[in-house]
Amino acid sequence: MRLSRYFLPVLKETPADAQIVSHRLMLRAGMIKQMSAGIYAWLPLGFKMLRKIENIVHEEQIRAGHIPVLMPTLQSAELWRESGRYDGYGEEMLRMQDRHGRDMLFSPTAEEMFTDTFRSYVKSYKDLPLTIYQIQWKFRDEIRPRFGVMRGREFLMKDGYNFDLTKEDALHAYNRHLVSYLRTYERMGLQAIPMRAESGPIGGDNTHEFLVLAETGESGVFYDSEITDLKFGDRAVDYDDVEQCQGVLEEFTSRYARTDDTHDQAVFEAQVPDERRREARGIEVGQIFYFGTKYSEPMGATVTDAEGNKVPVHMGSHGIGVSRLLGALIEANHDENGIIWPEGVTPFHVGIVNLKQGDAAADGACEDLYKALEARGLEPLYDDRNERAGGKFATMDLIGLPWRITVGPRGLKNGVVELTSRRTGESEELTPELAVARVAEIYAGL
Ligand code: P5A
């Protein structure tokens, strides 16, 4: 992409009403625009990142054997009356009527729609297990939408639902999700700690939330420091292997980790030696639930078992805050000059800064670099504007591409360009060919 032809409305001033760094940087980097409280337009750079995060989530869901679908955002209230949740859900649900006076709502979550879809088609235990999921917009009329996309009213969620014959099978689905979530967050360069949590309006008594540690997190967290040493790494997990998934779950959840809602000081002190006790704040980037027959029973989602009995299926649901993850990623990766995207999720792989637009040698070298990077399957962002070098560097730093190649007439006289790491600020002079090869090597396998 050439910056002169892109739509990147960066802001010079720091927006006054944005309280946390990720919100400020998303506004300044031209990623989002607030349309009303807690509702955002996704501008090109923000939209590109949202798609990247979505892609990773899809890939990891599919790897775990889950099947993507897409449900509508608007639902009939009827289904929620059947499950018994319509009246109790409260003010967070955006309710409306269509022209015929029928009660409708904008989906805050979709247990009912998935249960209804399941009961319409699946009748036999032979078709189980089944996990279907979507990545779709949700609306929750939060009383205090804040921190930008972190706590929006409209937000993008990956929501999945498992249907199993027995509790035991459904608990495997729960464990499988926990394992696949660990892998998903780690691919984004995030460490998300799974913690036992409260289930709230979703229901059930078995639930974990995933927290990314950050000063601006909304939850207080108490944990054993050993948990942050755990890495999922590149272990090959067979998601059908019950014992293996159980093993990973135990490894990651056996050490003490609680949010302030469920924190028991005495247990914390008894389980964790003094020097390993940590208190921090965390951003909830996902939550998984097992709630048995809470929806299948009232809604009649039953299958015939091997003995010919009709039994309600055991279910759970699992959510990832896809749009919130953008905020979490920035909270975890920034400095005073802007965002620092991890190489695994970045809107462009490398920036090209032309120090002297209009200089034949510099323009030519930038064009050659651009083509050579594209030929390697990389996506460069070329700042080809007629701007001062300082302004170009400031924009690149703000939008946070992990690598920058700087091209100027002086370097070119010696046959070199400069390759700079956004994270360390370290630069290296290389021939253009070597710079391309180096960047290609960095991204190989990501
Ligand atoms: C699980 C999927 C559920 O809704 N039903 C379907 C279950 N879980 S949850 O914990 O309530 O939400 C899942 C994740 O969505 C993100 N999230 C939000 N993101 C931005 N703004 C919000 N207002 C918001 N509310 C929830 C969180 O990451 C949460 O873990």
Side-chain angles (χ1 to χ4, degrees):
M1 176 60 64
R2 288 173 166 76
L3 200 45
S4 63
R5 298 189 202 158
Y6 202 39
F7 176 42
L8 184 73
V10 298
L11 305 177
K12 291 229 164 57
E13 310 76 41
T14 301
D17 52 347
Q19 294 165 34
I20 60 169
V21 67
S22 57
H23 189 193
R24 283 198 291 274
L25 288 175
M26 286 182 83
L27 292 168
R28 283 193 55 213
M31 297 176 72
I32 51 168
K33 173 184 179 336
Q34 183 174 314
M35 304 306 281
S36 44
I39 301 180
Y40 293 89
W42 294 82
L43 304 177
L45 196 72
F47 183 51
K48 209 161 192 294
M49 279 305 295
L50 198 62
R51 283 281 175 269
K52 294 237 164 171
I53 291 177
E54 246 185 294
N55 282 344
I56 292 178
V57 173
H58 269 304
E59 278 175 24
E60 293 304 325
Q61 284 301 300
I62 287 163
R63 190 198 299 275
H66 308 154
I67 301 164
V69 296
L70 189 62
M71 296 284 165
T73 50
L74 296 185
Q75 312 179 22
S76 150
E78 273 322 298
L79 281 178
W80 287 65
R81 292 202 173 99
E82 272 191 63
S83 72
R85 271 209 296 186
Y86 186 64
D87 293 327
Y89 205 91
E91 306 244 50
E92 269 188 18
M93 183 188 276
L94 182 66
R95 299 158 203 255
M96 63 200 100
Q97 285 194 334
D98 68 9
R99 66 200 296 166
H100 306 291
R102 279 188 287 253
D103 292 329
M104 308 283 293
L105 57 100
F106 196 118
S107 181
T109 173
E111 278 75 10
E112 283 79 358
M113 264 195 304
F114 278 81
T115 307
D116 177 53
T117 303
F118 177 88
R119 73 179 171 185
S120 301
Y121 302 107
V122 183
K123 307 289 175 197
S124 161
Y125 75 98
K126 288 182 188 148
D127 297 322
L128 302 181
L130 179 67
T131 296
I132 40 184
Y133 78 94
Q134 64 175 347
I135 297 183
Q136 177 62 298
W137 294 94
K138 302 286 182 292
F139 193 94
R140 293 184 185 172
D141 205 351
E142 301 274 350
I143 187 160
R144 253 200 317 273
R146 55 179 186 160
F147 303 159
V149 300
M150 287 283 207
R151 182 165 294 283
R153 291 198 297 166
E154 190 180 60
F155 60 96
L156 193 59
M157 190 202 285
K158 175 248 124 179
D159 48 324
Y161 305 82
N162 69 286
F163 302 91
D164 287 278
L165 182 62
T166 64
K167 176 172 181 179
E168 200 183 13
D169 293 348
L171 287 176
H172 170 60
Y174 184 93
N175 297 352
R176 197 177 62 232
H177 276 87
L178 191 138
V179 175
S180 88
Y181 278 24
L182 290 173
R183 190 186 172 115
T184 305
Y185 300 122
E186 213 171 282
R187 257 189 78 180
M188 298 174 195
L190 288 174
Q191 184 169 36
I193 305 180
M195 309 212 180
R196 208 157 261 298
E198 301 286 337
S199 69
I202 307 293
D205 46 20
N206 210 349
T207 175
H208 278 87
E209 57 189 19
F210 292 77
L211 290 152
V212 169
L213 299 179
E215 277 165 31
T216 48
E218 291 192 292
S219 320
V221 176
F222 300 84
Y223 64 97
D224 180 343
S225 64
E226 283 209 332
I227 203 169
T228 50
D229 297 334
L230 292 171
K231 294 280 172 290
F232 190 81
D234 54 5
R235 49 181 105 192
V237 173
D238 172 359
Y239 286 103
D240 289 330
D241 188 327
V242 172
E243 276 171 29
Q244 202 182 17
C245 287
Q246 177 74 30
V248 177
L249 174 130
E250 274 165 22
E251 184 185 344
F252 280 82
T253 60
S254 56
R255 289 167 184 79
Y256 190 100
R258 294 280 189 281
T259 63
D260 47 6
D261 315 333
T262 53
H263 176 229
D264 184 330
Q265 185 79 26
V267 180
F268 187 40
E269 282 168 15
Q271 282 184 10
V272 186
D274 203 22
E275 67 280 7
R276 295 204 326 236
R277 281 180 218 149
R278 298 284 183 281
E279 269 188 61
R281 303 203 67 75
I283 303 166
E284 182 203 316
V285 292
Q287 191 161 357
I288 56 174
F289 302 82
Y290 162 75
F291 40 66
T293 60
K294 173 177 165 159
Y295 300 88
S296 56
E297 234 176 270
M299 294 182 70
T302 57
V303 292
T304 312
D305 69 11
E307 283 80 47
N309 307 313
K310 261 192 173 180
V311 292
V313 286
H314 284 259
M315 291 175 57
S317 70
H318 330 90
I320 292 181
V322 175
S323 47
R324 176 177 287 184
L325 268 169
L326 255 103
L329 266 168
I330 297 174
E331 289 296 326
N333 299 283
H334 68 268
D335 64 14
E336 63 283 1
N337 297 323
I339 304 166
I340 310 173
W341 296 115
E343 274 120 7
V345 256
T346 174
F348 296 93
H349 297 107
V350 52
I352 304 174
V353 168
N354 186 343
L355 292 178
K356 195 150 193 216
Q357 209 69 40
D359 175 272
D363 291 2
C366 286
E367 289 298 330
D368 289 348
L369 273 171
Y370 190 89
K371 290 195 191 97
L373 288 161
E374 278 195 326
R376 299 276 194 130
L378 297 165
E379 221 183 337
L381 178 68
Y382 170 23
D383 192 343
D384 58 345
R385 297 168 307 159
N386 236 330
E387 282 252 345
R388 289 180 308 108
K392 290 189 176 189
F393 288 142
T395 300
M396 281 295 174
D397 282 353
L398 174 62
I399 67 172
L401 310 186
W403 295 92
R404 185 186 80 208
I405 302 177
T406 310
V407 181
R410 211 174 310 154
L412 286 175
K413 278 206 186 103
N414 301 322
V416 293
V417 295
E418 199 180 56
L419 178 65
T420 308
S421 156
R422 173 69 182 86
R423 195 170 286 278
T424 65
E426 280 165 24
S427 290
E428 208 183 338
E429 288 195 333
L430 299 163
T431 64
E433 294 72 28
L434 266 179
V436 171
R438 184 68 53 84
V439 176
E441 190 184 297
I442 290 164
Y443 285 103
L446 281 179

